[in-house]
Amino acid sequence: MFLPDRYVEGTCPVCSNPEARGDQCEKCGSYLNPTELKNPKSKITGQTPVVRETSHMYFPLGQYQQRLEKYIGERNKRDGWKDNVLNYCRSWFKDGLQDRAVTRDLDWGVKIPLQGYENKVLYVWFDAVLGYISSTKEWSQRVGKPDEWKRFWLDEKTKYVAFIGKDNVVFHCIVFPAMLMAWNETHDEKYILPENVPANEFLNYEGQKFSKSRGIGIDVQDFLARYPVDPLRYYLAVSLPEYRDSDFYWRDFQAKTNNELADILGNFVNRTLAFADRTFDGVVPERGPLGDHDRQVLDILETTPVRSGEYYEHYRFRDGLLEVMNLARAANKYFNDSEPWKTAKSDRTRCATTINVSIQLARALAILMEPVIPFSSERIWKMLNLGGTAHAQSWDEASELLVPDGHRLGKTEILFTKIEDTVIEAELGSAGGGQPATPSAQPKLADVKPTITIDDFKKLDLRIAKIVQCENVPKSEKLLKLQVDVGTEKRQIVAGIAQNYKPEELIGKSVVVVFNLQPAKLMGQESQGMLLAASDNDGKLVFVAPSAEIESGSVVK
RNA sequence: GGCGGGAUAGCUCAGCUGGUUAGAGCGUCGGAAUCAUAAUCCGUAGGUCGGGGGUUCGAGUCCCUCUCCCGCUACCA
């Protein structure tokens, strides 16, 4: 078989690290080809791999370095790229871009659609980015407009922004643009290049990394079956990992939903419409002469779309959203300061003006919040009984007072339901605060291996061994060095169970070992065999032991 | 161990090329108000900007070092 690059191990030509992988040296970070390694060894068998001739297709990435640097420089100047993205790219340019093989000799993956290449597949990141284009083509066929995809990829006026996580910067800033440049050189169809790649950091879950296999995190389907989508969208927008990793905390989710969405935004819309309903029979009252309070809040209304829009244009979503929420806060203050419940009795004109302006504010909020909470925005729009959709309104006209006097309002309803403590506690598990939620999905079992014969099994020589001595392996996090008695002799076994057992608690214990395993060196320590242990999905690990006392060296079969 | 990213108010985070009394949202506490999903509004408190050096007239912001977190990776049960 052809070894995948990463299964070839050898000495790094850059930093002489003896354990560099065929695709990358972990020590110095260099990206390598397997043949660049000195003393290459198969990671599977330990044998020296033989270089077998095969033909691969290469992408001449090196030829594009200058153009890529120019391209990124220009786009940065035009659209302001993020520092972390630029730094990442610079380090690549500094090392010099290398030509990259874009095919692999694997039996899975996207096949090369050419004669003579039946056994080859595309390198995963080469086809993944192309999938962006393929999927729009597929979509346009499905909707019966086979050319519609061209609007996305071939129209110079289209602004292509790649929203990604920090681990994908190189493919979206360097590899994919180079691929598109290469195509554009020789074809009449000219593809557009990313205008910006505002990579985010990572979103974690209750202080831990999201992990599907370990069941850590949220299953969106599952989540949406229990909660409406808008609070999640709001929470994600407000805690987006724009500059550093951030966390999804259930407590925080609850607080943002209750204290911000429901209390500030939802309550303003509600108190305004409820007031209009009761005092003006659900009809927009006439806006009279403006007072100081009116003018103040209208000033804020006027600048909000501009300021917020400015942030959004620069991919600063948290700040953009904060500006809009500040408008909602100002609206509440305005309502308070104007005291319409008093002027309703003392100064009807004044009261009418306050409510009129408040309704204009509600309309503006529906439009300005729409990118983040589209469904709730449409609900506000309906409550205001305005035609069309909030989505279709012009951002810049959000600040105009377009709800006419005498307009009949729709039915008022609660916009956001608060999340009770008990619900959050249930999510966190009865064990209580701060703990990650128990995975709702079934734990994933290890892949089932192919059936073996009894003869295969007989190749294993399993024996009972008693641990007579045990110590930590220096500079290792997982390894313990064991001296075991296997009846006829003593052996040294290195086992990766240091995170689950302390050396002293193992002494005197009987375990099962693989007696005829080829010896290996781990962290410089000779290991003559292998200790059997069981592990679960959370990395918990227990060694296998006989159920009763039995002589060391006994054969397990 | 290697590589990378962090460490700023109780919490979540902003602080650009170093420059006046370090900011926001939420939370705390006190007050006002009562139209509203007990929602709102005002005010208050709270930080040796992880520790220690250094550069500088001046550092959260630059350099060195240490500590601690997190991730990846190597150790493969």
Side-chain angles (χ1 to χ4, degrees):
Chain A
M1 75 184 268
F2 284 96
L3 276 175
D5 294 354
R6 44 176 304 168
Y7 287 157
V8 182
E9 199 174 78
T11 303
C12 173
V14 180
C15 71
S16 296
N17 165 28
E19 291 172 345
R21 295 193 322 213
D23 58 339
Q24 180 182 11
C25 173
E26 295 295 341
K27 200 159 196 171
C28 66
S30 307
Y31 284 78
L32 306 167
N33 284 316
T35 50
E36 295 177 80
L37 294 174
K38 296 169 193 158
N39 301 319
K41 289 268 189 288
S42 164
K43 234 172 149 180
I44 300 171
T45 64
Q47 293 172 319
T48 304
V50 180
V51 179
R52 268 205 280 163
E53 191 154 319
T54 180
S55 60
H56 274 308
M57 298 192 177
Y58 272 73
F59 186 85
L61 195 58
Q63 292 178 18
Y64 290 86
Q65 173 149 353
Q66 280 197 334
R67 273 171 284 181
L68 285 166
E69 288 189 69
K70 188 170 166 233
Y71 150 75
I72 290 174
E74 283 172 1
R75 297 302 163 102
N76 175 40
K77 209 168 174 185
R78 195 160 79 188
D79 205 53
W81 284 33
K82 291 170 81 164
D83 288 341
N84 56 340
V85 175
L86 290 172
N87 283 336
Y88 203 104
C89 294
R90 280 187 196 122
S91 75
W92 274 78
F93 292 140
K94 201 178 139 205
D95 296 342
L97 299 181
Q98 302 295 315
D99 296 351
R100 306 270 294 186
V102 296
T103 51
R104 292 288 187 275
D105 290 301
L106 297 171
D107 49 12
W108 53 273
V110 176
K111 295 245 190 287
I112 309 293
L114 292 173
Q115 266 200 340
Y117 290 88
E118 286 77 11
N119 294 324
K120 292 186 191 301
V121 297
L122 279 174
Y123 171 55
V124 60
W125 272 109
F126 201 76
D127 83 62
V129 287
L130 291 176
Y132 296 153
I133 299 171
S134 317
S135 61
T136 55
K137 286 188 175 176
E138 190 183 313
W139 166 80
S140 36
Q141 277 163 15
R142 206 169 48 225
V143 299
K145 299 177 189 165
D147 282 339
E148 193 70 354
W149 66 274
K150 292 180 180 172
R151 280 202 309 127
F152 291 99
W153 294 104
L154 303 179
D155 187 341
E156 279 180 13
K157 284 181 298 220
T158 295
K159 182 173 176 179
Y160 166 24
V161 179
F163 294 99
I164 58 166
K166 60 183 171 187
D167 53 339
N168 270 334
V169 170
V170 66
F171 298 107
H172 291 84
C173 296
I174 292 177
V175 177
F176 192 36
M179 289 163 65
L180 294 173
M181 286 175 182
W183 174 276
N184 289 348
E185 278 171 29
T186 53
H187 295 76
D188 291 334
E189 287 179 331
K190 307 291 185 199
Y191 282 76
I192 58 165
L193 271 50
E195 177 69 15
N196 205 330
V197 185
N200 283 314
E201 306 292 311
F202 286 151
L203 180 75
N204 296 315
Y205 176 80
E206 295 282 346
Q208 295 181 74
K209 201 176 164 71
F210 268 91
S211 165
K212 236 179 186 173
S213 60
R214 290 197 294 155
I216 295 174
I218 293 169
D219 181 86
V220 177
Q221 301 265 334
D222 193 44
F223 186 93
L224 295 180
R226 286 174 291 150
Y227 307 95
V229 66
D230 278 355
L232 177 62
R233 293 176 59 113
Y234 180 79
Y235 180 75
L236 290 177
V238 109
S239 50
L240 203 62
E242 285 176 336
Y243 301 94
R244 71 166 89 158
D245 289 3
S246 66
D247 278 274
F248 180 98
Y249 286 111
W250 278 103
R251 290 280 179 205
D252 229 26
F253 172 68
Q254 179 195 27
K256 295 276 191 286
T257 301
N258 293 359
N259 306 338
E260 298 185 26
L261 273 185
D263 290 352
I264 294 172
L265 178 63
N267 185 50
F268 173 72
V269 172
N270 185 255
R271 72 199 295 202
T272 296
L273 295 182
F275 198 100
D277 218 26
R278 187 162 343 98
T279 311
F280 299 102
D281 294 323
V283 170
V284 178
E286 192 176 337
R287 187 168 64 253
L290 300 179
D292 285 347
H293 287 141
D294 307 313
R295 276 191 290 270
Q296 271 169 27
V297 79
L298 289 176
D299 278 349
I300 297 173
L301 171 61
E302 184 148 356
T303 58
T304 297
V306 181
R307 292 150 67 110
S308 175
E310 192 74 10
Y311 280 127
Y312 276 117
E313 288 290 335
H314 291 97
Y315 315 103
R316 296 181 57 176
F317 301 120
R318 287 207 320 234
D319 286 328
L321 178 53
L322 182 66
E323 286 292 331
V324 179
M325 283 306 284
N326 282 340
L327 176 63
R329 293 184 182 99
N332 272 313
K333 176 175 167 53
Y334 165 74
F335 201 103
N336 270 32
D337 293 349
S338 302
E339 299 183 309
W341 56 92
K342 284 185 183 167
T343 57
K345 294 161 197 158
S346 61
D347 185 347
R348 194 78 176 175
T349 310
R350 196 81 279 290
C351 178
T353 302
T354 300
I355 297 308
N356 182 295
V357 168
S358 294
I359 289 167
Q360 309 296 343
L361 289 166
R363 171 185 173 275
L365 287 168
I367 297 169
L368 299 177
M369 288 300 287
E370 199 271 343
V372 179
I373 48 168
F375 299 94
S376 305
S377 277
E378 297 305 344
R379 287 182 62 208
I380 298 174
W381 205 252
K382 258 215 173 68
M383 288 187 231
L384 291 171
N385 193 30
L386 296 164
T389 62
H391 176 75
Q393 307 308 309
S394 149
W395 183 270
D396 296 330
E397 285 173 16
S399 54
E400 295 186 21
L401 313 180
L402 295 180
V403 187
D405 294 353
H407 173 74
R408 172 149 291 281
L409 298 165
K411 192 183 161 210
T412 305
E413 45 187 49
I414 297 294
L415 202 52
F416 301 102
T417 311
K418 293 202 193 189
I419 301 170
E420 301 293 332
D421 286 345
T422 51
V423 174
I424 293 301
E425 279 155 19
E427 294 289 0
L428 290 170
S430 49
Q435 292 301 310
T438 44
S440 53
Q442 283 286 319
K444 203 180 114 191
L445 296 171
D447 292 338
V448 176
K449 292 175 185 168
T451 303
I452 60 168
T453 64
I454 187 72
D455 291 330
D456 288 331
F457 178 75
K458 280 180 177 166
K459 289 178 187 166
L460 282 172
D461 190 345
L462 302 176
R463 302 201 181 192
I464 299 296
K466 183 166 267 185
I467 298 171
V468 294
Q469 204 185 322
C470 183
E471 58 186 288
N472 285 307
V473 174
K475 294 180 180 177
S476 166
E477 287 169 24
K478 295 185 190 165
L479 297 182
L480 290 181
K481 186 163 74 175
L482 315 169
Q483 307 299 332
V484 299
D485 179 357
V486 285
T488 53
E489 57 179 301
K490 292 224 170 78
R491 279 197 180 187
Q492 172 169 299
I493 288 179
V494 179
I497 55 173
Q499 288 175 331
N500 301 271
Y501 292 102
K502 287 178 186 158
E504 54 271 20
E505 64 181 310
L506 284 172
I507 295 172
K509 294 272 188 339
S510 285
V511 295
V512 179
V513 299
V514 182
F515 193 67
N516 63 337
L517 187 69
Q518 179 181 336
K521 267 199 169 181
L522 306 172
M523 298 289 286
Q525 305 288 337
E526 176 90 7
S527 181
Q528 305 159 309
M530 169 170 143
L531 180 149
L532 294 189
S535 66
D536 69 4
N537 287 309
D538 295 327
K540 201 174 283 175
L541 193 139
V542 293
F543 65 81
V544 176
S547 59
E549 196 63 34
I550 188 165
E551 198 179 331
S552 292
S554 299
V555 175
V556 179
K557 55 187 178 181

